[in-house]
Amino acid sequence: MDFKGKTVLVTGGASGIGKIMARKSLERGCKSLIIWDIDESGSQKTKDEFSKMGAEISLFKVDISSVDEIRINAQKVRTEIGKVDILINNAGIVIGKFFHEHTHEQIEKSMQVNANAAMHITLEFLPEMMKENAGAVCNIASSAGLISNPKMSVYASSKWAVIGWSDSLRLEMEQLQKNVSFTTIMPFYIDTGMFAGVKSRLLPILDPEKTAEKIMRAIASNRKMLAMPLPYWFIRFSQGILPLPAFDWVMRNVFGIYDTMKEFKGRN
């Protein structure tokens, strides 16, 4: 999937790796960049920053936890801009509490933003991709969708949902013989502020620029799944061959995964 001349839509494109992927889409020659974000002022600052990069940039203030807003703004995109060639479902939130400390509203919001929204947004733009027999969808999940972790129960459940849904769609496109690629991304913590306070003993906190570049290359090469820094097959293989107490011991005492969220603060 060549970005040159394509229309790219990035959710959560006003900050973090969403903003970096938006910039990299422009650097790769996309003709039109669409940013969906609830942060209207952040989106405008991003547009101003990227305004001289030679492509049309369109901003949409969208609360993706609302299906109605997704439907309304998807129709605006189709009417005002046209077909979306590359969709990057990037927006997400994290609460970072023990499960019993969550409110019902926090659980619902987390699932709506992190899991359901990607499904509803893709449902709006996938039929046209299938009709044209061309397109790419990239879903930013998390390594939390592979490994359970204290203080991430709801976040992990939302990302497990994304991984299963996203890879199922990859198989559906193959079965239907449609040239629409699905790429599922499962990164470790990224140093964007979203996971401020996280401590990692062995695995590195990921650099946003390098992580975004790897994601862009994965989309361009139609890569099916990408986990970093640990490859997803290593995690799945370890889960498959080790008894659960042994796997827990390795994750807790070797990699230190189960203690990473102890000092979590998050973005203000």
Side-chain angles (χ1 to χ4, degrees):
M1 173 57 68
D2 188 354
F3 280 77
K4 189 173 183 180
K6 300 296 193 300
T7 296
V8 181
L9 191 158
V10 183
T11 68
S15 62
I17 63 165
K19 179 179 178 180
I20 299 173
M21 290 187 291
R23 168 172 53 80
K24 288 182 176 292
S25 297
L26 294 168
E27 291 171 348
R28 283 166 163 77
C30 75
K31 72 173 182 179
S32 180
L33 172 65
I34 305 165
I35 293 176
W36 278 21
D37 205 296
I38 198 169
D39 181 2
E40 196 169 20
S41 62
S43 294
Q44 188 59 54
K45 289 177 183 177
T46 296
K47 181 177 181 179
D48 294 342
E49 183 180 340
F50 296 163
S51 60
K52 295 181 180 180
M53 297 187 71
E56 176 188 359
I57 302 175
S58 303
L59 307 179
F60 292 80
K61 182 182 178 182
V62 188
D63 178 0
I64 61 171
S65 68
S66 167
V67 178
D68 287 340
E69 287 204 28
I70 290 172
R71 286 173 170 166
I72 290 168
N73 285 282
Q75 184 56 47
K76 286 182 180 178
V77 168
R78 288 189 291 266
T79 301
E80 298 173 12
I81 301 168
K83 174 180 175 286
V84 171
D85 300 298
I86 301 172
L87 170 62
I88 303 177
N89 285 309
N90 163 75
I93 60 173
V94 61
I95 303 299
K97 297 178 180 180
F98 289 113
F99 179 75
H100 69 276
E101 297 173 337
H102 283 71
T103 64
H104 291 290
E105 291 75 19
Q106 287 172 333
I107 293 171
E108 186 172 3
K109 189 81 167 182
S110 295
M111 297 305 296
Q112 287 172 336
V113 172
N114 293 344
N116 296 356
M119 300 185 198
H120 290 297
I121 294 167
T122 301
L123 186 61
E124 288 293 326
F125 297 110
L126 179 59
E128 186 66 21
M129 293 181 183
M130 294 175 67
K131 181 180 178 182
E132 297 291 327
N133 200 32
V137 179
C138 177
N139 295 308
I140 310 299
S142 169
S143 60
L146 297 171
I147 303 176
S148 303
N149 198 16
K151 300 183 78 171
M152 295 190 80
S153 58
V154 177
Y155 183 81
S157 68
S158 69
K159 296 304 184 178
W160 281 51
V162 169
I163 292 171
W165 162 75
S166 180
D167 204 42
S168 293
L169 280 181
R170 172 185 68 82
L171 295 170
E172 288 182 1
M173 293 301 104
E174 291 179 3
Q175 193 172 85
L176 295 170
Q177 297 183 330
K178 293 296 182 180
N179 188 33
V180 180
S181 66
F182 274 81
T183 300
T184 308
I185 307 295
M186 296 157 284
F188 193 56
Y189 301 111
I190 305 172
D191 188 15
T192 61
M194 182 175 177
F195 285 98
V198 161
K199 305 292 184 183
S200 180
R201 181 189 308 162
L202 184 61
L203 297 176
I205 303 296
L206 298 177
D207 176 76
E209 186 75 22
K210 293 179 180 178
T211 301
E213 180 61 26
K214 287 182 179 180
I215 294 171
M216 299 298 284
R217 291 180 181 177
I219 298 170
S221 63
N222 296 340
R223 186 163 177 173
K224 297 174 177 65
M225 303 185 90
L226 172 64
M228 56 185 117
L230 290 176
Y232 70 92
W233 60 261
F234 171 80
I235 298 170
R236 293 295 196 211
F237 181 71
S238 300
Q239 290 170 330
I241 65 169
L242 293 176
L244 187 57
F247 181 81
D248 284 347
W249 188 90
V250 171
M251 290 299 115
R252 180 180 296 110
N253 298 299
V254 177
F255 292 104
I257 298 291
Y258 293 172
D259 293 328
T260 54
M261 291 288 288
K262 281 188 173 180
E263 298 179 37
F264 170 80
K265 297 180 180 67
R267 186 180 284 122
N268 292 329

